[in-house]
């Protein structure tokens, strides 16, 4: 009799006794840690993300098609979310970050609102549409890096005759993980403009500040880190030979008041890879989103190589090795949750 034999088996008895115990404690909403310990405390980061790329030449037409289906005003934000292929349906590109391609057509506005999630825009295509942030209306060009920090009122508009597409990155999954999201919609579509375009960069990123200014330290006061200002700095680094073997000639977008990251939850960098650059491999615990601003090259992530050119967005998951190569002189923008990990004391890297 199989049942009698197995119940006589001491191993079976132990398992049966444990299971009966688990069933009893489960009724009191308790569970044994020892059954999950290895899963909860792994020896190394195990990511659920996979590397992925969205090539601009493939997706631009689909982004444009959305203009025929819904207006920016009706959609509130007309965005195609870039979902990590392993995290479909979760509106995220990594576990902590959301990314999407936003389209704003000539004459359209995206109404004013604010939320506890912080956002950045990185301009990919088009010229001269605006984002207003806390009273400063900034007109945007490709390569510009625009901040709309936690609770900053923002709206967008396009007074040009050309569509504009940019990459939005938000810390939505992080804020929703904390279940700390608030949002508010303003009555008017566009907030009043109180400051001139470029005021925040002039006032806070020029080595002087308005005397007596009250400055928020947790995030940068600068609204638009323009490509026109940042790109020549990469050129200076390249000429000076300041080229990292893994990252190229790279700057970190900084809060000019503190020197720290631009936001507590997201940090960004801009790197120039000289023509023929063959980067050494690198990994860190922050899953990183890249945008090719100019040039042409390829990045191997894990076992896969992703060829990229201008406008392409790709993602390297946490703790996966990646290495860049540039067939032409190239510029890569990157953004990750590194400031949050550093603040928590958990960020690590390996050369
Ligand atoms: Fe928003």
């Amino acid at each position: 009799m199989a049942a009698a034999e197995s119940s006589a088996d001491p191993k079976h008895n132990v398992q049966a006794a444990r299971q009966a115990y688990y069933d009893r404690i489960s009724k009191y909403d308790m569970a044994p840690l020892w059954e999950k310990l290895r899963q909860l405390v792994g020896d190394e980061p195990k990511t659920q993300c996979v590397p992925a790329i969205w090539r601009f030449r493939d997706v631009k037409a689909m982004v444009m098609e959305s203009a025929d289906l819904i207006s920016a005003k009706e959609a509130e934000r007309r965005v195609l979310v870039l979902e990590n292929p392993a995290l479909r349906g979760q509106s995220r590109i990594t576990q902590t970050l959301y990314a999407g391609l936003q389209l704003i057509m000539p004459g359209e506005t995206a109404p004013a609102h604010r939320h506890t999630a912080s956002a950045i825009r990185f301009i990919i295509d088009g010229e001269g549409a605006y984002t207003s942030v806390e009273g400063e209306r900034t007109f945007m060009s490709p390569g510009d890096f625009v901040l709309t920090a936690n609770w900053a009122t923002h709206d967008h508009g396009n007074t040009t005759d050309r569509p504009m597409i940019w990459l939005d990155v938000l810390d939505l999954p992080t804020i929703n993980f904390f279940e700390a999201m608030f949002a508010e919609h303003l009555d008017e579509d566009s907030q009043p403009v109180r400051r001139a375009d470029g005021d925040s960069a002039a006032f806070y990123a020029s080595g002087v500040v308005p005397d007596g200014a009250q400055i928020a330290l947790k995030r940068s006061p600068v609204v638009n880190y323009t490509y026109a200002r940042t790109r020549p700095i990469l050129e200076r680094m390249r000429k000076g030979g300041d080229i990292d073997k893994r990252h190229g000639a790279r700057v970190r977008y900084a809060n000019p008041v503190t020197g720290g990251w631009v936001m507590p939850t997201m940090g960004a960098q801009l790197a120039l890879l000289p023509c023929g650059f063959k980067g050494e491999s690198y990994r860190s615990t922050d899953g990183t989103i890249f945008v090719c601003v100019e040039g042409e090259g390829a990045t191997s992530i894990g076992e896969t190589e992703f060829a990229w050119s201008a406008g392409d967005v790709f993602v390297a998951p946490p703790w996966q090795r990646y290495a860049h190569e540039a067939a032409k002189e190239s510029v890569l923008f990157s953004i990750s949750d590194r400031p949050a990990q550093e603040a928590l004391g958990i960020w690590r890297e390996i050369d």
Side-chain angles (χ1 to χ4, degrees):
M1 288 172 56
E5 277 167 25
S6 60
S7 64
D9 176 357
K11 196 175 161 195
H12 172 82
N13 284 344
V14 168
Q15 281 173 352
R18 283 179 183 168
Q19 191 55 53
Y21 171 72
Y22 300 161
D23 292 346
R24 265 191 296 127
I25 64 171
S26 177
K27 295 191 178 88
Y28 293 84
D29 299 313
M30 295 190 290
L33 172 61
W34 56 87
E35 292 287 333
K36 292 278 173 67
L37 191 57
R38 293 253 165 208
Q39 192 182 320
L40 289 170
V41 188
D43 293 338
E44 284 208 335
K46 289 185 182 65
T47 181
Q48 290 178 42
C49 303
V50 291
I53 190 165
W54 292 263
R55 292 192 173 87
F56 196 61
R57 64 170 179 270
D58 296 337
V59 300
K60 182 180 178 181
M62 282 177 275
V63 172
M64 294 301 301
E65 209 180 319
S66 67
D68 299 329
L69 296 171
I70 192 163
S71 71
K73 195 169 177 177
E74 189 186 354
E76 188 163 336
R77 297 293 185 265
R78 186 172 49 223
V79 181
L80 297 191
V81 182
L82 306 182
E83 292 195 321
N84 191 286
L87 303 170
R88 293 304 313 276
Q90 299 183 45
S91 304
R92 60 188 63 182
I93 191 164
T94 66
Q95 290 287 18
T96 56
L97 297 180
Y98 154 104
L101 292 173
Q102 180 158 174
L103 169 66
I104 186 153
M105 296 295 286
E108 284 191 325
T109 54
H113 69 197
R114 60 180 174 172
H115 34 69
T116 38
S118 297
I120 66 93
R121 337 252 159 236
F122 191 77
I123 314 309
I124 291 180
D125 198 38
E127 180 78 48
Y130 70 81
T131 287
S132 294
V133 184
E134 292 184 311
E136 178 168 332
R137 176 169 287 185
T138 186
F139 290 88
M140 303 176 290
S141 301
D144 286 2
F145 173 56
V146 177
L147 305 187
T148 57
N150 170 2
W151 213 238
T153 302
H154 54 283
D155 55 86
H156 316 300
N158 187 350
T159 51
T160 76
D161 56 3
R162 287 181 54 196
M164 189 169 210
I165 298 173
W166 64 71
L167 178 77
D168 285 320
V169 180
L170 287 90
D171 54 13
L172 287 171
T174 304
I175 306 307
N176 283 326
F177 173 78
F178 287 111
E179 299 182 322
M181 185 71 75
F182 290 90
E184 214 171 59
H185 299 83
L186 266 66
D187 293 335
E188 65 271 17
D189 281 350
S190 301
Q191 64 184 297
V193 176
R194 292 181 281 106
R195 300 194 301 193
D197 189 354
D199 267 7
S200 63
F203 291 165
Y204 302 111
S206 306
V208 294
V209 295
D211 201 12
Q214 298 291 312
I215 302 167
L217 294 178
K218 281 193 176 170
R219 45 93 168 178
S220 171
V222 176
V223 170
N224 188 351
Y225 292 78
T226 63
Y227 200 55
R229 279 169 64 112
T230 314
R231 178 66 171 84
I233 301 165
L234 301 182
E235 198 57 37
R236 282 176 183 265
M237 290 176 76
R238 188 188 65 78
K239 282 188 182 147
D242 189 1
I243 300 167
D244 184 273
K245 287 176 181 167
R246 304 146 314 165
H247 305 301
R250 188 167 78 162
V251 292
R252 177 173 63 80
Y253 290 97
N255 177 339
V257 180
T258 63
W261 296 101
V262 290
M263 288 173 170
T265 51
M266 296 186 285
Q269 288 139 331
L270 194 72
L272 184 150
L273 311 179
C275 180
F277 181 79
K278 281 192 180 6
E280 291 180 2
S281 104
Y282 175 80
R283 68 175 170 172
S284 57
T285 51
D286 51 321
T288 305
I289 304 161
F290 292 92
V291 183
C292 172
V293 193
E294 27 172 313
E296 205 176 288
T299 298
S300 63
I301 309 172
E303 304 298 310
T304 316
E305 185 170 286
F306 296 89
W308 40 255
S309 57
D312 294 355
V313 179
F314 58 100
V315 60
W319 213 237
Q320 282 199 7
R321 285 202 167 273
Y322 65 82
H324 303 302
E325 284 187 25
K328 296 179 182 170
E329 181 172 283
S330 301
V331 176
L332 291 180
F333 170 81
S334 60
I335 183 162
S336 78
D337 63 10
R338 181 170 159 179
Q341 292 199 28
E342 286 185 349
L344 296 170
I346 58 172
W347 184 79
R348 287 201 197 188
E349 65 178 338
I350 286 186
D351 285 331

